[in-house]
């Protein structure tokens, strides 16, 4: 047999036999005929080979062992020794067996063992969660970091599947990736997903998965790396909310200051063209009122900035009638220029809990729209009313303007950049902004409208129980 050394010691006849393979393994000359004790000394641990021989003599059965030898040329090798004894009257008369050089196999096994040890150390002591997962989702092995991350012990893991820990909305995507992995369509995948901690809270994790296959290519198990990114996700959400507030603030500044600047410019033009001293004095007083309102608006915006910096609640108690009056004052030039009729029907003492800058923005946008989209064939008529509806403040701003076809546009009435009439100042931001501001303060807004007849906006404010302080 190729590579198989055959040997024999016959104690009755005093003969010694090695085939040429053994001479090659031991790296001795072909005429070597050492005693059994001389041969035993080739082994690194002679006691082990003696024990193997003694065991074969005692049992009378074939015995084998893997032993390390140092050849005549001092080459270190690993061999598999097979020994069998023949006995006569209780004495060993013959020993024979085989010797196989298994150095390459042994070295490969040692390399694999070393790799396994290194993987086990890396697995067990990894700073992120690691797991071996079966093809059906069962946890095969989990490391300490994963146990700490999820709040379960290893035995608690091993009795469940990863599906048990996965946030339901994220499960389908994960399973789709696993199927692609098993099918060989992808080599690995990484995704963000949510898990449940043992105490019930949500953990955001960055999951990386690869598949281990057999030598024949059959899928064996998944290797998962799970990194906790909950803090990063929370930080991103905070940044996103801050960006939304910043964008909202930018829109407030744009809309509110544009209304002020437009009215001031209109009033200055009127003053310059007016020849009647009394009327000019009235216009100057209106201009002064607009200047005061502008300063108040800037003060409100400054308060918004302070509140956003401190993350404090932005709502305060506001007298609705006073704020409506202030909004009309801001728009006084536009009202005067359009010769609009303003009807106010507000119950006394109605207060709302709202951000002052937001409420100013809401009123200016809605009243401004009534002026902007007035019907060309009639004088603008705007009715502003408010009452307590079931203990909740309700504000209604109605006009007789162009109206909006809600059947056609109702689903996008408050959408960003949605415009419904041709007007040079239409930006499609006003109603979007109003809706967001009302809802941010806990309120609700809706509209009724008919083309060519007019539009009514209804704002239901949050109940006063939400009032700060």
């Amino acid at each position: 047999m190729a590579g198989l050394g055959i040997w024999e010691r016959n104690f009755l006849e005093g003969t010694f036999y090695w085939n040429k393979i053994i001479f090659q393994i031991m790296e001795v000359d072909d005429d070597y005929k050492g005693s059994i004790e001389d041969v035993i000394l080739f082994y690194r641990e002679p006691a082990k080979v003696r024990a193997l021989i003694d065991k074969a003599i005692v049992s009378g059965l074939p015995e084998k062992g893997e032993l390390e030898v140092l050849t005549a040329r001092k080459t270190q090798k690993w061999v598999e020794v097979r020994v069998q004894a023949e006995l006569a009257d209780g004495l060993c008369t013959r020993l024979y067996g085989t010797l196989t050089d298994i150095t390459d196999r042994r070295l490969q096994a040692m390399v694999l063992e070393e790799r396994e040890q290194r993987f086990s150390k890396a697995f067990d002591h990894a700073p992120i969660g690691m797991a071996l997962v079966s093809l059906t989702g069962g946890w095969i092995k989990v490391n300490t970091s994963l146990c700490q991350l999820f709040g379960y012990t290893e035995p608690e893991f091993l009795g469940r599947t990863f599906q048990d820990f996965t946030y339901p909305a994220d499960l389908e995507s994960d399973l789709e990736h696993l199927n692609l992995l098993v099918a060989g369509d992808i080599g690995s995948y990484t995704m963000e997903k949510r898990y449940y901690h043992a105490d019930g809270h949500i953990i955001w994790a960055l999951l990386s998965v690869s598949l281990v296959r057999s030598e024949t290519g059959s899928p064996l198990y998944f290797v998962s790396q799970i990194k906790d990114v909950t803090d990063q996700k929370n930080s991103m959400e905070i940044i996103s909310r801050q960006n939304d507030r910043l964008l909202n603030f930018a829109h407030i500044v744009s809309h509110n200051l544009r209304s002020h600047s437009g009215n001031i410019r209109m009033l200055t033009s009127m003053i310059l063209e007016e020849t009647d001293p009394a009327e000019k004095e009235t216009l100057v007083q209106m201009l002064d009122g607009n200047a005061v309102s502008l300063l108040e608006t800037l003060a409100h915006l400054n308060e918004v900035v302070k509140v956003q910096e401190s993350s404090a609640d932005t709502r305060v108690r506001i007298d609705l009638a006073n704020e409506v009056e202030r909004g009309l004052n801001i728009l006084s030039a536009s009202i005067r220029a359009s010769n609009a009729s303003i009807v106010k029907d507000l119950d006394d003492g109605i207060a709302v809990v709202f951000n002052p800058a937001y409420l100013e923005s809401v009123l200016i946008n809605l009243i401004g729209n009534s002026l902007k989209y007035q019907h060309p064939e009639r004088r603008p008529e705007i009715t502003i009313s408010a009452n307590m509806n079931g203990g909740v403040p309700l504000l209604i701003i109605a006009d007789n303007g162009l109206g909006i076809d809600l059947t056609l546009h109702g689903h996008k009435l408050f959408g960003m950049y949605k415009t419904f009439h041709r007007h040079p100042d239409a930006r499609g931001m006003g109603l979007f902004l109003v809706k967001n501001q009302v809802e941010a303060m806990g309120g609700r807004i809706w509209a009724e409208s008919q083309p060519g007849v007019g539009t009514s906006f209804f704002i239901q404010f949050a109940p006063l129980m939400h009032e700060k302080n």
Side-chain angles (χ1 to χ4, degrees):
M1 297 175 67
L4 180 64
I6 299 174
W7 61 273
E8 181 188 60
R9 290 273 178 178
N10 191 316
F11 299 109
L12 292 178
E13 298 176 357
T15 56
F16 167 92
Y17 173 75
W18 280 6
N19 72 354
K20 64 178 182 180
I21 300 298
I22 298 185
F23 287 102
Q24 293 171 357
I25 292 174
M26 294 302 186
E27 297 182 323
V28 294
D29 295 336
D30 292 345
D31 58 352
Y32 176 81
K33 291 186 181 301
S35 68
I36 192 167
E37 287 301 323
D38 292 336
V39 173
I40 287 175
L41 292 177
F42 280 112
Y43 291 85
R44 282 277 191 184
E45 298 177 277
K48 285 189 175 180
V49 71
R50 288 194 183 97
L52 186 65
I53 293 171
D54 291 344
K55 188 176 180 181
I57 292 172
V58 171
S59 68
L61 299 174
E63 301 291 344
K64 70 175 182 178
E66 293 185 0
L67 302 168
E68 188 178 6
V69 298
L70 191 63
T71 70
R73 296 176 186 173
K74 307 303 179 187
T75 303
Q76 182 177 337
K77 294 183 179 180
W78 280 89
V79 294
E80 181 182 81
V81 182
R82 292 178 179 271
V83 182
Q84 191 159 7
E86 283 186 1
L87 304 176
D89 297 329
L91 294 176
C92 178
T93 58
R94 178 173 171 252
L95 287 174
Y96 61 97
T98 61
L99 191 73
T100 307
D101 185 349
I102 60 170
T103 304
D104 290 343
R105 189 182 78 191
R106 185 76 183 209
L107 291 176
Q108 289 177 358
M110 292 171 65
V111 170
L112 291 176
E113 183 179 357
E114 182 186 7
R115 287 179 180 173
E116 178 64 25
Q117 289 179 352
R118 280 191 295 177
F119 174 77
S120 294
K121 288 182 180 178
F123 185 93
D124 293 336
H125 302 293
I128 64 172
M130 293 189 68
L132 304 183
V133 181
S134 75
L135 299 179
T136 56
W139 302 97
I140 300 172
K141 181 179 175 62
V142 296
N143 71 351
T144 303
S145 294
L146 193 63
C147 292
Q148 293 173 344
L149 174 61
F150 280 30
Y152 290 97
T153 63
E154 185 171 0
E156 290 172 333
F157 262 100
L158 301 185
R160 305 185 185 192
T161 67
F162 82 85
Q163 293 92 326
D164 295 331
F165 295 78
T166 298
Y167 188 75
D170 298 338
L171 181 58
E172 184 177 351
S173 176
D174 200 1
L175 293 175
E176 288 177 356
H177 282 90
L178 288 176
N179 289 334
L180 292 174
L181 202 57
V182 172
D185 294 335
I186 57 175
S188 63
Y189 71 88
T190 299
M191 63 177 289
E192 283 186 348
K193 64 175 291 189
R194 287 160 288 184
Y195 292 97
Y196 285 115
H197 186 273
D199 66 11
H201 76 259
I202 301 295
I203 303 167
W204 271 102
L206 183 64
L207 170 67
S208 299
V209 183
S210 57
L211 177 64
V212 176
R213 296 179 182 273
S214 68
E215 293 181 354
T216 60
S218 298
L220 295 178
Y221 56 86
F222 301 107
V223 178
S224 299
Q225 295 177 305
I226 302 172
K227 182 180 180 181
D228 184 5
V229 295
T230 304
D231 290 342
Q232 293 94 315
K233 291 293 293 186
N234 290 338
S235 297
M236 290 300 296
E237 288 179 3
I238 291 173
I239 292 172
S240 177
R241 288 197 295 270
Q242 289 175 338
N243 286 340
D244 288 344
R245 288 203 299 267
L246 182 60
L247 183 61
N248 196 19
F249 178 74
H251 288 315
I252 292 174
V253 171
S254 172
H255 278 72
N256 290 17
L257 295 189
R258 189 171 62 185
S259 297
H260 282 291
S261 61
N263 276 279
I264 289 173
R265 187 173 184 279
M266 193 178 297
L267 284 169
T268 54
S269 297
M270 291 177 177
I271 292 171
L272 291 173
E273 295 173 0
E274 184 59 56
T275 57
D276 184 348
E279 188 64 18
K280 180 173 287 190
E281 177 60 24
T282 300
L283 292 172
V284 169
Q285 291 177 359
M286 293 174 64
L287 179 60
D288 181 66
N290 266 264
V292 172
S293 294
L294 175 58
L295 290 175
E296 292 176 350
T297 297
L298 292 174
H300 288 162
L301 295 176
N302 189 47
E303 286 301 316
V304 170
V305 172
K306 290 180 180 177
V307 166
Q308 290 184 350
E309 286 178 344
S310 64
S311 299
D313 196 347
T314 61
R315 291 169 289 186
V316 298
R317 183 187 182 95
I318 303 172
D319 185 278
L320 188 56
N322 288 344
E323 195 60 25
V324 167
E325 197 62 38
R326 184 171 175 277
L328 293 173
N329 185 53
I330 293 171
L331 296 170
S332 59
S334 297
I335 294 171
R336 184 185 182 95
S338 61
N339 193 29
S341 168
I342 305 296
V343 177
K344 292 176 289 183
D345 183 18
L346 290 85
D347 292 351
D348 294 335
I350 295 179
V352 297
V353 179
F354 220 81
N355 177 297
Y358 282 12
L359 185 54
E360 177 186 306
S361 176
V362 169
L363 292 170
I364 289 177
N365 270 294
L366 293 183
I367 299 173
N369 279 355
S370 294
L371 297 170
K372 186 187 301 181
Y373 302 114
Q374 59 187 272
H375 197 286
E377 298 177 358
R378 54 180 176 251
R379 179 189 182 193
E381 293 180 358
I382 303 172
T383 300
I384 304 171
S385 59
N387 57 69
M388 296 299 291
N389 184 12
V392 177
L394 178 67
L395 173 68
I396 305 170
I397 299 177
D399 64 48
N400 64 341
L402 293 171
I404 303 169
D405 187 346
L406 294 182
T407 303
L408 186 63
H409 302 298
H411 64 288
K412 57 183 180 181
L413 182 62
F414 297 102
M416 183 182 289
Y417 304 128
K418 303 300 181 185
T419 58
F420 312 105
H421 303 290
R422 293 181 180 180
H423 192 284
D425 291 336
R427 299 289 187 275
M429 285 301 304
L431 293 181
F432 169 79
L433 189 62
V434 166
K435 183 174 189 294
N436 279 273
Q437 290 164 339
V438 169
E439 292 181 351
M441 295 294 104
R444 189 166 72 90
I445 182 171
W446 67 95
E448 295 176 358
S449 186
Q450 292 184 45
V453 177
T455 303
S456 298
F457 283 98
F458 301 81
I459 299 175
Q460 179 180 286
F461 294 90
L464 292 181
M465 66 179 63
H466 292 289
E467 180 182 1
K468 183 181 179 182
N469 300 325

